[in-house]
Amino acid sequence: QKEVEQNSGPLSVPEGAIASLNCTYSDRGSQSFFWYRQYSGKSPELIMFIYSNGDKEDGRFTAQLNKASQYVSLLIRDSQPSDSATYLCAVSGNTPLVFGKGTRLSVIA
Amino acid sequence: EPEVTQTPSHQVTQMGQEVILRCVPISNHLYFYWYRQILGQKVEFLVSFYNNEISEKSEIFDDQFSVERPDGSNFTLKIRSTKLEDSAMYFCASGDRSNEKLFFGSGTQLSVL
């Protein structure tokens, strides 16, 4: 059974701070790693993907991957109240994406 | 920007009734998926579809479920005899590569009474 684990939160950060979201996965054969943002009652929206060990930056978002530790993280710099949402980690190998339960982020103005 | 569209946005049905959820994937995508999310729980994989056949399905996707691509644009999920526990948000997703970046529709909220 492939598992993706995330702290459910809520993670509260002040506006302008860095939010750090973490995810671990069980399947060592996983090859592709995704971060989705989900606002309450809405569908998941893809915000980052990473395939190789190391960091990948896109605007205020940085995804970090460590395959040896089976660990993925997402950093959000200069957090804004509009970033308040649930962040879903998803992992795939040769199988469809498996999602974690998500971490709820609250950015306090 | 191209998007996945789903109809209806809400569906209320009586237990034992059949429902059909409809999706129009992004036009140049070849891989189609249904996921569901029960309130407060994780997004769960149901089925993937490629080249007019099911490529993979989960344990949730039992004989009560079926998928179809009746024409060049629509992708449907049918639940033959709904149960109370089928109440969930159902998401259609599509991608241009197998098990890679998925783009989700806005979902159909199914309520079985």
Side-chain angles (χ1 to χ4, degrees), chain B residues 11 18 72 92 98:
Chain B
Q11 176 84 53
E18 174 182 288
C92 175
S98 177

Side-chain angles (χ1 to χ4, degrees), chain B residues 52-64:
Chain B
N52 282 322
E53 61 183 25
I54 290 174
S55 17
E56 193 159 349
K57 58 184 180 179
S58 71
E59 292 175 350
I60 303 169
F61 194 89
D62 61 22
D63 292 345
Q64 295 301 312

Side-chain angles (χ1 to χ4, degrees), chain A residues 3-5 32 34 36 38 41-44 46 49 51 88 92-101, chain B residues 33 35 37 40-45 48 56 59 89 91 97-107:
Chain A
E3 298 287 342
V4 177
E5 300 292 337
S32 306
F34 307 91
Y36 284 81
Q38 187 176 32
K42 302 296 185 183
S43 60
L46 180 65
F49 56 93
Y51 303 128
L88 310 178
S92 73
N94 292 318
T95 54
L97 270 64
V98 176
F99 283 82
K101 197 172 178 181
Chain B
Y33 305 80
Y35 281 78
Q37 187 175 31
Q41 298 189 25
K42 61 175 66 177
V43 176
E44 299 176 289
F45 168 72
S48 58
E56 193 159 349
E59 292 175 350
M89 179 75 92
F91 293 112
R97 291 162 60 190
S98 177
N99 302 324
E100 280 295 332
K101 292 175 284 182
L102 296 189
F103 296 90
F104 284 79
S106 55

Side-chain angles (χ1 to χ4, degrees), chain A residues 17-52:
Chain A
I18 296 174
S20 177
L21 305 159
N22 305 313
C23 168
T24 59
Y25 59 95
S26 64
D27 182 11
R28 281 201 171 272
S30 300
Q31 298 163 4
S32 306
F33 307 87
F34 307 91
W35 283 99
Y36 284 81
R37 177 175 61 201
Q38 187 176 32
Y39 292 112
S40 181
K42 302 296 185 183
S43 60
E45 175 193 7
L46 180 65
I47 55 171
M48 286 291 286
F49 56 93
I50 187 167
Y51 303 128
S52 304

